[in-house]
Amino acid sequence: MSIANSESPAASDAEPWGNNVKVEFEDGIAWVILNRPEKRNAMSPSLNREMIRVLDALEVDERCKVLVLTGAGESYSAGMDLKEYFRETDNATPVEVMRVRRDSMAWQWRRLMFYPKPTIAMVNGWCFGGAFTSLVSCDLSIAAEEAIFGLSEVNWGIIPAGNVMRAVAEKMCTSDALYYLMTGEPFDGKKASETRLVNEAVPLAQLRDRTRQIALKLMEKNLHVVRAIKLTYRRVKEMNWDVSEDYLYAKAGETYASDPDKGREKGMTQFLDKKAFKPGLGNYNNET
Ligand code: COA
């Protein structure tokens, strides 16, 4: 059975990617590319384990300021691997199944949703089933208008698990969610944007440039503060107003105290004393 350890020795080298995932660095962006194009980037147990190691490594890699998750070839990802994730685990013990599922969830939402760096999902093509979890767990998402999405589980007789249904409920309104969950009907990138499943859709030819532009815009910001914003947002969504008021004041103080750039100080001085910029219209100058 392939679920125990199907990685080649390359997986334990200094850079943990290479078998199922490719990583390319460019101007502070780490392009993390699910790399099984011949299987439409379906997520196998070994891909899931590799992604955990990739996220671990990029967390402390200075070449990665913003992480973009995408897929090789014509797919973002065709979802969970029906052969390696489903059929080949049908006869595994409950503990083995639990381990396989845990690895999958470990990166697709648990790590990704609370990743300490900004994340953008770039949906370049097919995006089915299990792929919705990582898509929704990224902070931002840009799709090609031509990309095809589908909650296809109903088409082959299962319910969308792997937190897919929870992910859909996070972004789509109930009428859209139930329509696509119950019919399994595919929809394109434009529709994904209309339903707010993704931030925006652009023609495929512009997808990489637009994603790059957004990543660079994020990098102009104080990334210590950006990190605090994305993490606190995820938490306050689950809180009532009294608790979130208290939590946010505490987090604001902590963020300010631990900011290596002392951005708040610079921002106030440049606006109030030097009259050098307007916070409503742009960013403070980190050089002064
Ligand atoms: N799991 C396992 N293998 C998959 C896969 C998946 N989710 N998606 C694609 N593949 C494999 C195919 O079995 C095929 O393998 P083979 O060459 O060894 O026969 C290969 O990838 C190419 O797939 P193919 O169907 O020929 O490509 P296509 O471009 O014509 O169609 C899709 C692409 C994505 C529309 C189609 O592959 C598909 O429907 N995949 C399943 C999507 C799905 O429902 N995912 C939800 C899982 S929860």
Side-chain angles (χ1 to χ4, degrees):
M1 178 171 312
S2 65
I3 61 171
N5 192 354
S6 61
E7 290 88 348
S8 77
S12 60
D13 289 345
E15 290 186 336
W17 48 85
N19 294 321
N20 301 283
V21 182
K22 201 164 51 169
V23 178
E24 292 168 359
F25 297 100
E26 180 202 12
D27 302 333
I29 305 170
W31 301 89
V32 176
I33 304 158
L34 304 177
N35 193 26
R36 300 180 73 213
E38 73 289 353
K39 296 290 179 190
R40 306 299 180 261
N41 305 323
M43 293 173 283
S44 61
S46 57
L47 181 144
N48 289 330
R49 284 192 292 271
E50 192 167 325
M51 271 305 298
I52 294 171
R53 294 193 299 270
V54 167
L55 292 183
D56 274 347
L58 294 181
E59 199 169 66
V60 289
D61 193 319
E62 281 300 311
R63 294 172 294 179
C64 172
K65 306 237 179 294
V66 174
L67 186 153
V68 175
L69 180 64
T70 189
E74 294 165 3
S75 320
Y76 174 75
S77 169
M80 304 318 296
D81 190 305
L82 269 70
K83 178 169 174 282
E84 294 188 36
Y85 188 83
F86 288 104
R87 182 185 279 169
E88 288 182 358
T89 61
D90 277 351
N91 296 319
T93 67
V95 173
E96 283 174 324
V97 171
M98 190 190 76
R99 284 160 60 89
V100 165
R101 290 179 178 171
R102 188 178 58 205
D103 288 343
S104 163
M105 296 294 91
W107 80 267
Q108 288 170 25
W109 77 269
R110 205 166 259 117
R111 291 297 309 281
L112 209 46
M113 195 173 278
F114 296 95
Y115 204 61
K117 297 180 175 180
T119 53
I120 305 173
M122 184 176 89
V123 184
N124 51 309
W126 304 118
C127 178
F128 286 100
F132 277 59
T133 305
S134 65
L135 165 67
V136 167
S137 297
C138 285
D139 304 319
L140 305 174
S141 47
I142 314 297
E145 290 174 353
E146 299 90 332
I148 298 294
F149 296 72
L151 291 158
S152 52
E153 285 86 344
V154 68
N155 294 340
W156 63 283
I158 67 165
I159 73 164
N163 258 351
V164 168
M165 212 184 300
R166 181 63 186 85
V168 169
E170 188 75 9
K171 289 278 173 85
M172 285 174 136
C173 72
T174 301
S175 48
D176 284 329
L178 282 176
Y179 182 84
Y180 291 112
L181 285 163
M182 292 167 71
T183 65
E185 186 179 299
F187 54 98
D188 66 11
K190 282 188 196 166
K191 178 57 90 176
S193 172
E194 278 170 34
T195 62
R196 308 313 296 135
L197 175 64
V198 299
N199 284 88
E200 62 182 80
V202 297
L204 179 61
Q206 296 163 23
L207 182 65
R208 190 177 166 104
D209 281 351
R210 177 62 184 140
T211 306
R212 196 168 179 280
Q213 193 182 40
I214 295 169
L216 295 178
K217 184 197 276 278
L218 288 167
M219 274 186 252
E220 289 168 8
K221 303 291 162 192
N222 179 326
L223 287 175
H224 175 78
V225 175
V226 170
R227 172 166 56 249
I229 288 171
K230 61 169 273 189
L231 296 179
T232 51
Y233 176 80
R234 302 280 189 196
R235 298 295 185 200
V236 299
K237 274 196 90 183
E238 311 293 330
M239 294 177 186
N240 69 39
W241 282 60
D242 281 317
V243 176
S244 87
E245 179 192 310
D246 203 31
Y247 172 81
L248 283 171
Y249 274 130
K251 278 292 178 186
E254 183 208 316
T255 304
Y256 168 54
S258 57
D259 180 3
D261 288 338
K262 293 287 165 244
R264 182 176 181 269
E265 224 69 79
K266 287 180 186 166
M268 280 201 292
T269 305
Q270 288 172 23
F271 178 54
L272 297 175
D273 306 327
K274 298 185 179 169
K275 310 278 184 207
F277 93 118
K278 297 190 188 294
L281 303 178
N283 209 49
Y284 70 85
N285 182 354
N286 198 31
E287 305 305 318
T288 56

